[in-house]
Amino acid sequence: MLVGTDTADDAGVYRLSEDLALVQTVDFFTPIVDDPYCYGQIAAANALSDIYAMGAKPLSALNIVCFPVETLPLEILAEILRGGADKAAEAGIPIIGGHTIKDHEPKYGLAVLGVVNPRSVVTNAGARPGDALVLTKPLGSGVASTAIKAGLATPELAQQATDSMATLNRAASEAMLVVGAKACTDITGFGLLGHLHEMTVASGVSAVVRFHSVPTLPGVIELIDAGVAPGGTYANRTHLASTVSYATEITSAQGLLLCDAQTSGGLLIAVAQDKAQALLDELLIRRVDSASIIGEIIADRPAGGSHIWVNQ
Ligand code: CO
Ligand code: CO
Ligand code: CO
């Protein structure tokens, strides 16, 4: 076993031989958008993301399905599965089986199998002081999903959030592998700061994030100001209270956005400072056009322990 459960990494890695390791991950959740086809696409993109975050290549996947057969028409299930199958096809992998059970609420996702050369696994434990931090998708999908459910999202926000969540992290992962990264994780339920915290702890470092460099979905700060944010986002901020210091200029809404629980968020990549621009160039070539350098890795606090500073 090369990567297990100790470092809160994105996927497990198990070595088969000198140059071949298996990468395994599973993710599934309840619907976050109304359209069943989009939901299927997003759930599949989210599950595949953990393979890409390890610098690995997906091979195949299994469907995991819970569905209320007594209360919802089977056509909805067919649309969810079609969304998942289309996203898997876009990733170049077959769905080779799965399992379905009856449940009160629909749930869908994938168990994904991938491969990687054991020498090129990108874990979340390799970040070093001086590395630049690059984020590849805009933040705010948790706020957007809550707004969509409440009928408060503008058509622009709903479209951009749905497109972003359904986008594979494959191109971002390829760009990272071309340039060479120190560490990587994808941004999901614990939010940007929660997943950055996991990276800094696993790497034994601290970090600085500059709020105004962080890409965000349109209008999400205004929605947070109006009280629209998921419970998980508030829970993330509370959980990170002793880990994160916010500069006085950072508003409560801005701080909360950095803790927003994401679905199928972008990759957070730690890269040597002198390779950061090359990474942005490779991302742009692959049309990952909202990627930005959002901060950097610094040494641990003198007292020890990982900490995150959020500046303007
Ligand atoms: Co992950
Ligand atoms: Co996951
Ligand atoms: Co079975």
Side-chain angles (χ1 to χ4, degrees), residues 37-95:
Y37 177 77
C38 288
Y39 164 50
Q41 285 191 307
I42 292 168
N46 180 75
L48 280 154
S49 178
D50 282 326
I51 298 286
Y52 294 128
M54 304 302 288
K57 197 172 121 33
L59 281 188
S60 63
L62 303 171
N63 278 326
I64 295 165
V65 185
C66 305
F67 198 77
V69 278
E70 275 109 23
T71 54
L72 281 180
L74 279 175
E75 289 74 38
I76 291 184
L77 175 57
E79 278 298 280
I80 294 170
L81 296 179
R82 189 170 69 86
D86 281 358
K87 197 45 71 174
E90 187 188 326
I93 66 163
I95 293 178

Side-chain angles (χ1 to χ4, degrees), residues 151-285:
L152 295 170
T154 61
E156 184 198 17
L157 174 62
Q159 190 63 53
Q160 284 193 31
T162 304
D163 288 350
S164 175
M165 290 188 285
T167 299
L168 289 176
N169 279 327
R170 178 173 60 178
S173 181
E174 286 171 1
M176 163 177 92
L177 291 174
V178 167
V179 173
K182 302 280 196 68
C184 179
T185 188
D186 63 337
I187 306 302
T188 51
F190 298 140
L192 171 66
L193 295 183
H195 290 281
L196 175 57
H197 177 57
E198 288 180 339
M199 182 187 281
T200 56
V201 169
S203 300
V205 295
S206 292
V208 175
V209 171
R210 288 181 298 275
F211 177 81
H212 290 289
S213 302
V214 177
T216 59
L217 291 167
V220 285
I221 286 289
E222 291 75 8
L223 283 165
I224 295 174
D225 276 330
V228 181
T233 297
Y234 290 100
N236 288 341
R237 179 165 69 181
T238 303
H239 178 73
L240 292 164
S242 62
T243 302
V244 182
S245 299
Y246 301 91
T248 49
E249 299 84 3
I250 301 297
T251 67
S252 169
Q254 290 171 339
L256 194 65
L257 179 54
L258 299 181
C259 299
D260 188 32
Q262 304 293 280
T263 297
S264 192
L267 297 186
L268 176 67
I269 303 167
V271 62
Q273 198 71 242
D274 60 359
K275 290 182 176 174
Q277 189 54 50
L279 176 58
L280 290 184
D281 294 344
E282 292 294 336
L283 287 164
L284 260 187
I285 291 168

Side-chain angles (χ1 to χ4, degrees), residues 98-101:
H99 191 74
T100 305
I101 61 166

